[in-house]
């Protein structure tokens, strides 16, 4: 007899919470009134009313329990998997703080995105007494383009998994999907820095001597002084006026973590960056995906001078999960399986070179 969830006025909500708790959704586990399903078999039997498992090969879609007349087992499981994925995605640290590097924008389609960057006007001219006003030189513009790419896979739950009550396997799917999604985005962003693409307007590498954002010195407080000055001297397009950008953050491989933390945390003579990056190193990104043990990066405040944009289709910054739930088609019909699809659509490109630099040591 299934005793985990009581049927009643709020039975659907209780069933969802019990499924959430089974899959490790933290909010559900905190609730003392929620008892998690003990296994996927118990959850399936209660949700579908299929106590003898005679309909399991149909995905539990035909015999719906009166307790959840408005739902079914695959969709309840989908909802809980999505909650667990979003929870774990937010907590997975592989690209912790990488969102400091880019401007995230929602995109409505797969078309090539065009970003037009206009140059700046020069200083105003002095007008002589009774003299004419002269025409300002109009600024030129630059076009940056990129397109999103679709990424995804399918996850299949078989009849055997349900019958064998492989709860551990099911519960791990959302966490694994979250990890895969996070790692996919982190790799995409990291690779833009590791192997920089050309800056589209001039066809020159994003980090290049002609952009005044490429160096070859090891990470040190003294080199940060040098790079801070170079960053401040970056100039506006067309007007060539200095931007006066200030160093905001660092990104380093795990190998340079001690050096970066010492610079930020040790108040020594000649070190002008004591707690500069935050009392708790908030603006130091330790990126384990950076492959070179010596190369490092610095950047200005992206809110002041954006240098990278990542676009997410329909604004979904986490992967989405979908269900194939027609019992007469697809793997439910041919293979006795419930199939879920994970989908993640994003793309991006450098917007500017002035607010970021790289040191190739």
């Amino acid at each position: 007899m299934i005793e985990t969830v009581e049927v009643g006025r709020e039975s659907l909500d209780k069933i969802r919470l019990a499924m959430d708790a089974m899959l490790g959704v933290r909010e559900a586990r905190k609730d003392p009134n929620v008892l998690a399903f003990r296994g996927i078999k118990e959850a399936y039997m209660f949700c579908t009313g299929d106590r003898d498992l005679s309909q399991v090969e149909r995905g539990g879609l035909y015999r719906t329990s009166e307790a959840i007349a408005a739902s079914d087992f695959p969709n309840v499981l989908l909802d809980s998997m999505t909650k667990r994925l979003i929870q774990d995605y937010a907590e997975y640290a592989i690209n912790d703080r990488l969102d400091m590097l880019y401007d995230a924008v929602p995109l409505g389609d797969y078309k090539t995105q065009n970003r037009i960057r206009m140059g700046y006007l020069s200083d105003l001219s002095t007008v002589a007494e009774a003299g004419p006003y002269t025409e300002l030189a109009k600024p030129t513009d630059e076009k940056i383009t990129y397109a999103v790419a679709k990424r995804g896979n399918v996850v299949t739950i078989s009849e055997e998994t349900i019958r064998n009550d492989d709860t551990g396997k099911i519960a791990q799917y959302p966490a694994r999907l979250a990890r895969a999604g996070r790692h996919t985005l982190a790799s995409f962003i990291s690779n833009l820095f590791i192997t920089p693409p050309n800056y589209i307007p001039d066809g020159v590498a994003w980090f290049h001597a002609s952009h005044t954002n490429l160096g070859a010195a090891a990470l040190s407080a003294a080199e940060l002084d040098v790079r801070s000055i170079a960053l401040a001297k970056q100039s506006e397009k067309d007007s060539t006026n200095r931007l006066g950008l200030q160093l905001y953050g660092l990104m380093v491989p795990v190998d340079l973590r001690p050096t970066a933390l010492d610079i930020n945390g040790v108040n020594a003579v000649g070190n002008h960056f004591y707690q500069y990056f935050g009392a708790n190193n908030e603006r130091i990104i330790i990126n384990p995906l950076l492959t070179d043990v010596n190369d490092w990066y610095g950047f200005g405040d992206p809110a002041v001078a954006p240098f990278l944009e990542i676009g997410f289709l329909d604004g979904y910054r986490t992967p989405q999960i979908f269900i194939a739930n027609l019992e007469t088609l697809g793997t439910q019909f041919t293979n006795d399986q419930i199939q879920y699809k994970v989908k993640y659509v994003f793309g991006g490109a450098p917007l500017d070179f002035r607010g970021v630099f790289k040191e190739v040591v």
Side-chain angles (χ1 to χ4, degrees):
M1 179 177 179
I2 308 301
E3 299 178 343
T4 305
V5 181
E6 296 179 2
V7 177
R9 181 173 58 86
E10 300 174 342
S11 57
L12 177 56
D13 289 339
K14 291 181 180 179
I15 289 169
R16 291 186 183 281
L17 288 170
M19 188 77 81
D20 290 349
M22 184 194 77
L23 289 180
V25 177
R26 191 169 296 107
E27 290 303 312
R29 289 197 164 186
K30 285 181 181 178
D31 192 333
N33 298 316
V34 175
L35 294 176
F37 285 119
R38 291 186 290 264
I40 195 68
K41 183 190 292 185
E42 180 181 79
Y44 167 82
M45 291 168 63
F46 189 89
C47 290
T48 64
D50 184 15
R51 308 276 175 155
D52 57 4
L53 302 177
S54 62
Q55 302 295 323
V56 69
E57 71 275 5
R58 293 177 175 177
L61 293 174
Y62 282 178
R63 295 179 57 192
T64 303
S65 166
E66 292 180 1
I68 56 167
S71 187
D72 54 53
F73 170 70
N75 286 297
V76 172
L77 182 58
L78 170 65
D79 184 57
S80 296
M81 289 176 68
T82 299
K83 291 178 183 176
R84 178 64 191 273
L85 182 149
I86 292 173
Q87 169 188 293
D88 287 10
Y89 188 95
E91 296 178 354
Y92 182 47
I94 190 66
N95 62 345
D96 182 35
R97 302 179 183 175
L98 281 188
D99 55 0
M100 281 193 292
L101 297 173
Y102 61 86
D103 183 23
V105 298
L107 304 178
D109 52 50
Y110 289 89
K111 296 177 182 176
T112 298
Q113 303 298 311
N114 296 307
R115 298 293 178 264
I116 306 300
R117 296 187 63 258
M118 183 176 288
Y120 294 82
L121 295 168
S122 60
D123 291 350
L124 300 178
S125 303
T126 300
V127 180
E129 182 178 351
Y133 285 78
T134 57
E135 184 77 21
L136 270 174
K138 292 181 175 61
T140 59
D141 57 41
E142 299 175 333
K143 184 169 75 170
I144 293 95
T145 62
Y146 71 90
V148 297
K150 187 188 304 180
R151 299 162 176 85
N153 292 96
V154 294
V155 175
T156 303
I157 300 174
S158 66
E159 172 192 356
E160 290 80 4
T161 297
I162 295 175
R163 287 185 180 274
N164 295 337
D165 202 15
D166 292 338
T167 309
K169 184 183 295 184
I170 300 297
Q172 290 179 42
Y173 280 152
R176 293 295 189 266
L177 289 174
R179 184 183 181 93
R182 273 283 200 178
H183 196 280
T184 301
L185 178 59
S187 295
F188 178 80
I189 295 169
S190 299
N191 287 336
L192 291 174
F193 287 83
I194 296 169
T195 308
N198 286 346
Y199 181 60
I200 294 174
D202 62 14
V204 176
W206 189 22
F207 301 109
H208 194 272
S210 64
H211 290 161
T212 324
N213 69 348
L214 181 64
L219 176 60
S220 67
E223 182 58 19
L224 283 175
D225 281 328
V226 173
R227 296 313 312 182
S228 294
I229 294 170
L231 197 62
K233 288 182 176 180
Q234 288 282 20
S235 60
E236 297 174 343
K237 174 179 166 51
D238 295 329
S239 76
T240 69
N241 291 330
R242 288 183 177 178
L243 285 164
L245 301 177
Q246 295 186 15
L247 182 61
Y248 181 77
L250 296 177
M251 181 169 68
V252 300
V254 292
D255 311 81
L256 291 179
R257 180 179 183 273
T259 304
L261 298 188
D262 282 349
I263 291 172
N264 193 58
V266 176
N267 190 6
V269 175
N271 179 13
H272 303 133
F273 297 93
Y274 171 62
Q275 294 193 346
Y276 183 92
F277 302 107
N280 297 306
N281 308 302
E282 295 91 339
R283 297 196 303 278
I284 297 178
I285 302 170
I286 312 297
N287 187 346
L289 301 183
L290 297 179
T291 52
D292 192 287
V293 301
N294 297 309
D295 294 354
W296 57 282
Y297 308 81
F299 52 94
D301 186 348
V304 176
F307 51 84
L308 178 63
E309 178 176 297
I310 304 295
F312 297 89
L313 188 67
D314 295 331
Y316 285 104
R317 296 180 63 176
T318 59
Q320 297 171 273
I321 304 179
F322 302 89
I323 181 177
N325 62 353
L326 294 178
E327 68 278 358
T328 57
L329 297 172
T331 58
Q332 283 196 42
F333 180 75
T334 60
N335 298 76
D336 301 332
Q337 296 170 331
I338 303 172
Q339 197 165 65
Y340 296 87
K341 177 180 74 177
V342 60
K343 177 182 177 182
Y344 202 15
V345 186
F346 63 85
L351 292 178
D352 200 354
F353 58 82
R354 295 166 179 84
V356 62
F357 66 84
K358 178 177 183 177
E359 298 272 2
V360 180
V361 182

